Amino acid sequence: MTLLHRRADLRETMSDYLLSELDRYGVAVRDRSEVVELHGSGGELEAVTLKDGARLRFGFMFCFLGASPCTDWIGDVVARDEHGFILTGANAGAAGPLETSVPGIYAAGDVRAGSTKRCATAVGEGAAVVGFIHERLASVPA
């Protein structure tokens, strides 16, 4: 198994215990690698081409695209921290834990400042927001 990594050294972004696990399971790490093309047929991945021109045989692939919030599109509509993550709850001066600086606008998952950046957490927060929206709508006159 091979782990492709865009940066110069995986140690820049990964904890020592996780690096030890990669070693333990014999995962090869290839730094400074970017996939530019996928190859296969019939819906099956067969290989990838890297930016440096190398072609590697791969039968499956998982992409982790990073933890950048990608919230520039929202501008100053809601308060964000210095990294662009959306502030919620007390940090945003909001009444509810997932409410932003604008009443009735909520943020859940990785885009939220202080989130744990885990899929299960994002799903749970999203489900909670649905409940908050129902409560809010119930208080709005028809």
Side-chain angles (χ1 to χ4, degrees):
M1 182 178 295
T2 302
L3 182 134
L4 302 176
H5 183 250
R6 289 182 305 161
R7 293 184 184 208
D9 188 346
L10 196 56
R11 285 169 181 61
E12 294 176 38
T13 57
M14 188 173 276
S15 301
D16 287 338
Y17 82 94
L18 292 172
L19 292 168
S20 296
E21 289 295 295
L22 293 175
D23 287 340
R24 180 175 149 200
Y25 289 100
V27 176
V29 177
R30 185 174 175 143
D31 296 321
R32 295 185 180 95
S33 297
E34 291 184 48
V35 175
V36 295
E37 190 173 358
L38 303 176
H39 308 280
S41 61
E44 298 290 326
L45 180 65
E46 296 170 5
V48 299
T49 297
L50 303 180
K51 190 174 185 177
D52 67 5
R55 186 172 172 147
L56 306 173
R57 292 185 53 82
F58 276 19
F60 57 92
M61 187 167 87
F62 169 80
C63 295
F64 177 74
L65 301 176
S68 296
C70 300
T71 57
D72 290 343
W73 62 272
I74 203 163
D76 293 331
V77 172
V78 298
R80 297 182 293 154
D81 69 11
E82 67 275 8
H83 304 292
F85 291 96
I86 296 173
L87 298 174
T88 56
N91 293 331
L98 298 174
E99 194 165 30
T100 68
S101 57
V102 178
I105 297 180
Y106 303 88
D110 293 2
V111 74
R112 193 176 64 74
S115 72
T116 58
K117 312 297 184 258
R118 297 290 184 260
C119 184
T121 304
V123 170
E125 289 178 357
V129 166
V130 170
F132 298 150
I133 292 169
H134 283 288
E135 286 176 20
R136 185 169 184 83
L137 291 175
S139 68
V140 175

